[in-house]
Amino acid sequence: MVLALRVGSVVGFLLLWEWAARVPISFNFPTPWATLTALVAQVRSGALPAATLISLQSLLLGFGAALAVGIPLGLVMGVVRAVGGVARVYLELLIALPTAALIPLVILSFGINIVSSAVIVFIFSVPFVAMNAYGGVRDVSPRLVEMARAFEASWPQLFVRIVLPGALPMILAGIRYGLSRAFVGLIIAELLLSPFGLGRLIMTSRSMFEHDRMFASVLWTLLLAGLALAALARAERRLLRWRA
């Protein structure tokens, strides 16, 4: 049933896309077939794979740093209330602020290169990773903690056997949401920086009025993000199999 609904939604979307291209809503709107043809041509020419490798460098560097900083920070925030009370304010402020407004500051500080793109990915994703880890620790059942203390469990045992497993679902959810935000930051950064990666392909195609190639680049980016999120969701189900 779920598979049928998913297939039906995709077919409905493609039919709506075909209708919008044939009306036409805009002369810039290519058909799905023209977009698919341009996508295959860009893959065969090597333009899309080369741009993808460059973009993935920024994504892996920035999102890897977000995980390395955000997860430990969130765990410490949840365990040490003083740290949580201070850091939470800044993280919530970073979430509430229009993050895209920080991009010019990053460019001025780091220049136009892969490092600045990675920093933007980090800024977009780390608050959500940290706050979910923090929320996971705070949601651990107090009864389990009291029971472990009643059996005279040491602090390392309490953390490894009670706190960390209890916070794991929220941590994994934060990683998945942080990855989606990382893709948003990556594309925004590359659209503004524009000398490399998938953002460059999109901007170049738009400036040359090659709208089928532009749509193909956007579709390729959506497929990459969807595959990455699906892989994370599958890994999450396996890691949390014990909850069943």
Side-chain angles (χ1 to χ4, degrees), residues 8-116:
S9 64
V10 172
V11 172
F13 172 74
L14 290 176
L15 291 175
L16 183 61
W17 186 355
E18 183 72 26
W19 172 82
R22 290 182 180 276
V23 170
I25 290 180
S26 170
F27 72 93
N28 299 328
F29 217 86
T31 63
W33 179 252
T35 302
L36 181 61
T37 303
L39 177 62
V40 173
Q42 284 184 299
V43 171
R44 287 181 175 178
S45 68
L48 267 177
T52 302
L53 287 176
I54 296 174
S55 295
L56 286 179
Q57 292 180 34
S58 302
L59 181 70
L60 293 176
L61 185 60
F63 188 59
L67 295 182
V69 173
I71 294 176
L73 175 61
L75 293 175
V76 172
M77 287 169 58
V79 172
V80 184
R81 291 192 176 184
V83 177
V86 174
R88 181 179 176 180
V89 176
Y90 294 100
L91 290 173
E92 289 178 346
L93 183 63
L94 195 58
I95 292 173
L97 284 175
T99 316
L102 300 176
I103 294 179
L105 300 178
V106 175
I107 295 174
L108 288 174
S109 302
F110 296 93
I112 300 177
N113 49 44
I114 291 179
V115 174
S116 60

Side-chain angles (χ1 to χ4, degrees), residues 24 26 37 54 70 77 135 142 151 198-200 212 226 239:
S26 170
T37 303
I54 296 174
M77 287 169 58
F151 283 95
L198 293 169
R200 180 185 182 184
D212 53 347
L239 288 172

